[in-house]
Amino acid sequence: MAKTMWNAVVAAGAVAVVTAMTAAPAGAATGGVSYSQVSVNGGKPIVIGVQEVVSVPVTFRMSTTRTWDWQPLFSLYRGKLGSPESDTLYSAFGASDHACPTKGRGSCVIDDGVLDIDPRYTIEGNGYAGTWKSSAELSLPGGDSVFTDLNHPVQVQRATRVTVNAAPEPVVTGKTITVTGKVTRANWETHSYQGYAGRTVSLQFKADGASSYTTVKKVTSGSTGSLKTTVKAAKSGTWRWNYYGNSTSGAKASTGDHVIVWSGVRVMHAR
């Protein structure tokens, strides 16, 4: 199904700007418009890296007594809705053409909306991580618009990365395994990943044949985000680091590193 995209930001460094209107809670009518059943990213935080465009699923229901020209445009904002000084966070928003007929009236449901966020052009700094408000704009005939605060907060987080290496491989039962790694976080000002110091990261193990990981110990990352600890080899399985995130940084687990543990006993065959 084709989607119609609005307000695409294509110029380098460009930021979409909200220029109007009046704020009201979701469910309350602003200029004869109300919204309900709002869902953004399935209720999960929006985690953004340094280059990749993030496409966020958005759904909502609109009811209105007004006649509109275009489907409602969803966006994230901070500050006062309608103020030129407010920040907005989106590159484009689109939904299927059939969702709300042009020049319609009454109610419509946008159930496949997509909010695109390009960190290269729409994020001005690391301070953009945190809680954002959500709004919808309904375009009316004659160039007017009605902006409504949806009263639906959304958490935006900087992406993290975690690596792992367990050695030696293989290892004899009872010997020491050294597990290293690194946790880094997206820097939206330099557009690179940098070491994330002072983070509590869980070392986890999944034995061969097991269905889930178990936390073995917790380690604090060093000044460059480095991780290092030792464990005793007991059985073959997979090791990983798992960072659970915080209000401004996304959760992330490393890939697993499998280590074979053997007894070290050689069987001599008679000739």
Side-chain angles (χ1 to χ4, degrees):
M1 179 65 68
K3 283 185 170 59
T4 298
M5 305 300 290
W6 298 277
N7 290 39
V9 176
V10 295
V15 179
V17 179
V18 171
T19 57
M21 297 283 187
T22 304
T30 303
V33 184
S34 64
Y35 296 85
S36 61
Q37 303 174 23
V38 181
S39 175
V40 181
N41 205 34
K44 299 178 293 184
I46 300 173
V47 181
I48 305 173
V50 297
Q51 291 186 342
E52 301 82 5
V53 175
V54 177
S55 295
V56 181
V58 176
T59 64
F60 56 83
R61 182 184 184 89
M62 179 194 72
S63 297
T64 181
T65 59
R66 310 290 293 272
T67 298
W68 68 81
D69 270 346
W70 304 102
Q71 302 181 40
L73 168 66
F74 175 91
S75 67
L76 301 177
Y77 79 99
R78 293 196 306 192
K80 183 179 179 181
L81 185 62
S83 170
E85 288 77 29
S86 294
D87 297 322
T88 58
L89 185 55
Y90 73 102
S91 301
F93 178 77
S96 296
D97 293 335
H98 75 275
C100 300
T102 301
K103 299 185 184 301
R105 178 179 291 188
S107 64
C108 68
V109 176
I110 288 184
D111 56 9
D112 63 352
V114 176
L115 177 75
D116 285 339
I117 302 175
D118 189 333
R120 297 168 297 176
Y121 305 135
T122 57
I123 296 181
E124 294 187 324
N126 295 327
Y128 268 42
T131 303
W132 287 73
K133 302 173 184 178
S134 55
S135 68
E137 173 195 4
L138 184 64
S139 297
L140 306 179
D144 292 332
S145 294
V146 176
F147 277 76
T148 305
D149 184 341
L150 301 181
N151 195 29
H152 187 89
V154 176
Q155 201 70 21
V156 175
Q157 298 175 332
R158 296 158 65 180
T160 56
R161 291 178 173 177
V162 187
T163 61
V164 66
N165 183 61
E169 305 173 50
V171 63
V172 175
T173 303
K175 295 296 184 178
T176 298
I177 298 174
T178 300
V179 187
T180 58
K182 190 172 185 178
V183 55
T184 57
R185 180 171 63 159
N187 186 324
W188 291 334
E189 295 167 4
T190 62
H191 299 287
S192 63
Y193 283 84
Q194 297 181 343
Y196 199 11
R199 298 301 97 193
T200 299
V201 184
S202 297
L203 176 65
Q204 299 182 325
F205 179 72
K206 182 173 68 173
D208 287 354
S211 59
S212 60
Y213 282 89
T214 300
T215 297
V216 175
K217 62 171 66 175
K218 295 181 179 181
V219 175
T220 301
S221 61
S223 59
T224 61
S226 60
L227 301 165
K228 184 177 182 178
T229 191
T230 58
V231 292
K232 292 296 183 181
K235 58 180 69 175
S236 298
T238 304
W239 296 92
R240 76 175 184 183
W241 294 104
N242 192 359
Y243 175 57
Y244 286 96
N246 56 44
S247 62
T248 58
S249 306
K252 187 68 175 181
S254 70
T255 58
D257 191 6
H258 187 262
V259 177
I260 296 175
V261 178
W262 62 294
S263 65
V265 177
R266 294 184 178 179
V267 178
M268 303 300 292
H269 297 278
R271 292 184 178 180

